[in-house]
Amino acid sequence: MRIILIGPPGAGKGTQCQRLVEHLAVPHLSTGEMLRKAIREETAEGLLAKGFVDHGQLVPDELIVGMVRKRLQEPDCRRGCLLDGFPRTLPQAEILDDMLERQAMTVDGVIELAVPRDELIRRMTMRKRDDDDPAVFARRIKSFEVQTAPLLEYYQRQGKLESIDGLGGTDDITARVMEAVRRFELRAARRQSSRL
Ligand code: AMP
C-alpha cells in the first residue's frame, strides 16, 4: 500500500504515522525528518534546505523531489510506503504520480487529518521545535493553506481522498485512520481482482 497523510503543521501526523506504519508494515517517509537529518549532517541538500526550513517556507520542489525519488527507489519501498509531508504542492503531486506510473505503481489512498487553525495554535504552544517559533509556525500554516490545501481537491478528483476529523483522543483518531485504510485496502483488492 502507498498511502499519503496530509495535514497542517501540528495536526498530529507524526503520532498517527507511527501507528500506521506498524499496521501497514511499510517504511515511513517523512520529508520533514529527511530534511532535518540532512541539515544536522550538513549534507549538500541540508545546506540548501536550511534557510527555507528555518523560515517555515517550503524547500524548492526539485530539491525535495530528488530526495524522495532516491528514497522510493530503495528496495524496502517496493512493497509500499507511508508518505508524510510529501507531496506538499501540486507539481510535487504530479511528479509523484508520474514517478509511480513509470514503475506501474500508484497512490492507493490519501488521508487528510483535518484540524481547525485555532486548535493548531493551541497545540503549538504546548510543544517545542526550532521551527515552532510563533511567526515561523504561522508561516507554515499559511503555506499549508495556500500551497498544500489544493492537493486535497487533486486527490478528491482522483477518488482517493478520505478526510478524517483530527480532533479528539489519539486512539479515536487512529480508529478513524484505520477505517480509511481498510477502505483503501478493499479498493486495492478490487482493482487487483479486476486485473486478473
Ligand atoms: P514537516 O516536519 O513535514 O512539517 O516539515 C518541516 C519543514 O520541512 C517544512 O516546514 C518545510 O520547510 C520542509 N518540507 C518538508 N516537506 C517538504 C516538501 N514536501 N516540500 C517542501 N518543503 C518541505
Side-chain angles (χ1 to χ4, degrees):
M1 294 290 284
R2 256 160 232 96
I3 293 179
I4 300 173
L5 199 65
I6 297 184
K13 288 195 305 278
T15 312
Q16 296 305 327
C17 278
Q18 272 171 16
R19 296 176 173 199
L20 205 45
V21 285
E22 271 173 41
H23 171 82
L24 295 170
V26 294
H28 175 201
L29 270 57
S30 156
T31 45
E33 277 304 321
M34 283 159 71
L35 287 166
R36 281 187 286 279
K37 179 163 181 277
I39 292 170
R40 268 197 316 273
E41 293 175 356
E42 301 187 345
T43 65
E45 285 147 338
L47 293 174
L48 272 170
K50 185 171 172 26
F52 295 99
V53 174
D54 284 352
H55 289 96
Q57 291 166 335
L58 295 187
V59 308
D61 286 340
E62 315 80 71
L63 174 64
I64 197 71
V65 163
M67 291 174 79
V68 171
R69 192 189 299 278
K70 244 189 272 165
R71 183 66 187 88
L72 281 177
Q73 280 165 359
E74 286 172 30
D76 62 334
C77 290
R78 217 165 285 147
R79 286 190 50 233
C81 64
L82 176 64
L83 284 164
D84 163 15
F86 183 91
R88 244 182 168 100
T89 64
L90 272 177
Q92 289 180 16
E94 288 163 355
I95 294 170
L96 175 66
D97 277 347
D98 186 58
M99 246 191 261
L100 293 175
E101 205 181 300
R102 282 165 198 271
Q103 302 176 61
M105 291 173 178
T106 186
V107 170
D108 293 294
V110 178
I111 299 174
E112 175 201 8
L113 213 50
V115 178
R117 182 186 252 260
D118 51 350
E119 171 65 11
L120 298 174
I121 292 170
R122 194 188 68 79
R123 290 183 190 180
M124 188 277 294
T125 53
M126 293 166 63
R127 65 177 204 178
K128 193 71 209 109
R129 215 170 74 182
D130 286 350
D131 55 355
D132 275 352
D133 168 82
V136 173
F137 192 75
R139 226 174 288 141
R140 293 173 63 219
I141 294 182
K142 183 96 194 145
S143 132
F144 177 82
E145 291 168 348
V146 174
Q147 291 166 286
T148 307
L151 291 187
L152 301 174
E153 204 195 313
Y154 177 83
Y155 288 117
Q156 176 83 60
R157 260 188 276 123
Q158 294 188 0
K160 292 182 176 170
L161 182 71
E162 292 278 347
S163 287
I164 302 287
D165 179 2
L167 289 182
T170 313
D171 290 344
D172 294 335
I173 301 168
T174 303
R176 289 173 212 146
V177 168
M178 291 304 171
E179 271 169 39
V181 170
R182 269 190 287 281
R183 283 193 284 274
F184 299 150
E185 286 171 339
L186 274 176
R187 262 180 249 157
R190 254 184 250 132
R191 264 202 316 274
Q192 187 81 28
S193 65
S194 70
R195 247 187 258 130
L196 295 176

